Amino acid sequence: MDFSTLCIHGNIEKYDNTGAVSVPIFQSATFAHPGVGESTGFDYTRQQNPTREHLENVIKKLEGGVDAIAFATGMAAISAVMELFSPGDHIIASDDLYGGSHRLFHHISMKNGIGFDLVNTSELSLLEGLIRPNTKALFVETPTNPMMQVTDIAAVAEIAKKHQLLLIVDNTFLTPYYQQPLKLGADIVIHSGTKYLGGHNDTLAGFTVVNDEEIAERLRFIYKTTGACLSPFDSWLLIRGIKTLPIRMDKQQENAEKIANWLCEQEKITAVHYVGLPTHEGYEISKRQATGSGGMISFEVDSEETAKHILEGVSIIQYAESLGGVETLITYPMLQTHGDIPEEEREAKGINNRLLRLSVGIESAQDLIAELARVIKGE
C-alpha cells in the first residue's frame, strides 16, 4: 500500500458498528468487563484506548516497526526511552540536540546515574573512540536541531551492531514520509508528534516506534507504569493530522527550497543551513537515506540587530516556538529552544545571537519571501 494511502487507511480494524468514517473518540477512562477474568481488550485508558490504538497502528505501519506507542509529548517519549537504562550506563548522543533533550539528559538522566558523551555524530570517526564497556546506546538526531547536521544512519547502525548498542533516532524533522530509520538499521525511532505528524500547532504528542518485540514489551511496561499516555481526543487530532502529512510536507518542502535559495542570495544573510541545498555538507548522505529535505531552515544574519528586527517585524510569519505546522514560524534558538544550554557550549555549536530557525508552512512562498525581504531590509 502506498504511503499516502497508509496515512488514511493504515489501520483497518473497526472499533464500532456505526459505519463511522472517522474513528470514534472513545472518551472513557475505564472499560467494563464482560465477566470475571474477561476483557474486551480494553481495561483502562492509561494502558490502552481504542482511539489511541488506532493511531499507534497507523504510526507502526508508516515507520515499518513492530510496535508504536503514543505519548503525551515528545519529551515524555524520550523520557520513557531513558528508563530502558540503568545507573552506570553510558550513552553517546548528537551534540546538536533539541534543547529539551539536552535538558533532560543533563538535569534528569545524569542525576539518575546515566552518563553521556555528546559528539557530532555526522563525524563517524569520532564515535568508536567514545565507546566504553558500559556504553549501551547511540542517540542521533538527523537532521539536527537547529544546525541541520546530517548523520549517516546506516553507517552508525553498523557501528551500533558491532558493539551491541541500541541505535535511537529522533526522526521528528523528516517524519517517516521522508526518512525511515528502522529500515536503515535503527532500533528505536522517536517523534515529537506535536510537529509534522500533528501538523496544525494544536496539540502535543510523542511517539516511540521499535523493531524488536522485547524492547516493545519493556517500553509498554514503562508506559503503563509511568502513565504519560496520549489522551483519546489528542489521539484523534493526530489521526486527522496524519491523513494530510504527505501533501503538507511536499508543500512545505517546495516552499523551503524556494526560500533557502532566495536567502543564499541576500547580502545580510551570512549562512544558510538547509539539507536540500547542494552546498550542504550532508546533502549526498541525505539524498541517499531520505526521500526529501523537509521544511526546516536555519540561517545566520549579519548582526544581532538584524535578527531582532526580523523577529519583531514579521506578521504572516509568526515569532513562536515549535515547528512543523501549516503556519510558518520563526524561532530564536539561543533564547527559546536552546536557552537552557550554557552560553559557551551554545556558541561553540553556532547557536549565537545571529542564528534564526524557520519552520516553513504551507502559505504562498511568494508572500513568505516578500515578508522576509521587507524585514531583512529593515523596513
Side-chain angles (χ1 to χ4, degrees), residues 101-243:
S101 301
H102 187 281
R103 183 171 58 242
L104 173 71
F105 294 169
H106 284 77
H107 296 282
I108 305 296
S109 300
M110 283 186 176
K111 171 184 69 68
N112 294 337
I114 301 172
F116 290 85
D117 271 313
L118 303 185
V119 66
N120 183 346
T121 50
S122 65
E123 298 288 343
L124 298 177
S125 60
L126 301 177
L127 285 174
E128 292 204 67
L130 294 172
I131 295 173
R132 312 173 189 169
N134 62 331
T135 303
K136 302 298 181 182
L138 305 174
F139 186 102
V140 171
E141 270 188 22
T142 184
T144 59
N145 182 3
M147 300 307 294
M148 309 300 165
Q149 296 167 355
V150 174
T151 294
D152 187 329
I153 298 172
V156 174
E158 287 185 15
I159 295 172
K161 285 176 174 52
K162 175 182 174 183
H163 295 277
Q164 297 182 310
L165 309 176
L166 289 177
L167 175 56
I168 305 160
V169 178
D170 187 325
N171 197 30
T172 297
F173 272 18
L174 292 184
T175 82
Y177 181 51
Y178 285 147
Q179 181 171 267
Q180 297 182 332
L182 295 180
K183 293 182 178 178
L184 295 167
D187 299 291
I188 301 173
V189 171
I190 292 173
H191 288 279
S192 172
T194 309
K195 312 306 194 292
Y196 286 102
L197 295 177
H200 293 79
N201 290 318
D202 57 9
T203 192
L204 303 178
F207 296 95
T208 61
V209 192
V210 301
N211 64 358
D212 180 85
E213 294 285 359
E214 183 181 347
I215 297 173
E217 187 176 341
R218 291 175 65 194
L219 280 173
R220 284 277 173 195
F221 179 82
I222 293 165
Y223 178 71
K224 76 172 183 179
T225 303
T226 58
C229 58
L230 190 63
S231 73
F233 182 69
D234 288 343
S235 295
W236 183 85
L237 286 174
L238 265 292
I239 292 166
R240 184 179 66 166
I242 288 168
K243 289 180 180 180

Side-chain angles (χ1 to χ4, degrees), residues 4-153:
S4 297
T5 306
L6 285 175
C7 286
I8 300 169
H9 302 290
N11 181 39
I12 60 173
E13 185 171 347
K14 301 296 181 183
Y15 298 95
D16 74 337
N17 59 5
T18 65
V21 173
S22 177
V23 63
I25 302 170
F26 288 88
Q27 195 65 49
S28 181
T30 191
F31 300 84
H33 296 278
V36 177
E38 297 179 14
S39 172
T40 62
F42 300 97
D43 301 316
Y44 192 61
T45 280
R46 172 160 46 80
Q47 184 170 358
Q48 191 51 287
N49 176 281
T51 313
R52 190 166 71 239
E53 183 179 270
H54 179 104
L55 169 63
E56 291 174 345
N57 285 340
V58 171
I59 292 292
K60 177 176 67 176
K61 289 281 185 67
L62 296 181
E63 280 285 8
V66 301
D67 193 21
I69 305 175
F71 291 83
T73 67
M75 290 312 305
I78 298 175
S79 297
V81 170
M82 289 300 105
E83 292 297 330
L84 293 171
F85 305 103
S86 302
D89 287 348
H90 172 249
I91 297 172
I92 301 168
S94 300
D95 64 353
D96 182 38
L97 285 173
Y98 166 57
S101 301
H102 187 281
R103 183 171 58 242
L104 173 71
F105 294 169
H106 284 77
H107 296 282
I108 305 296
S109 300
M110 283 186 176
K111 171 184 69 68
N112 294 337
I114 301 172
F116 290 85
D117 271 313
L118 303 185
V119 66
N120 183 346
T121 50
S122 65
E123 298 288 343
L124 298 177
S125 60
L126 301 177
L127 285 174
E128 292 204 67
L130 294 172
I131 295 173
R132 312 173 189 169
N134 62 331
T135 303
K136 302 298 181 182
L138 305 174
F139 186 102
V140 171
E141 270 188 22
T142 184
T144 59
N145 182 3
M147 300 307 294
M148 309 300 165
Q149 296 167 355
V150 174
T151 294
D152 187 329
I153 298 172

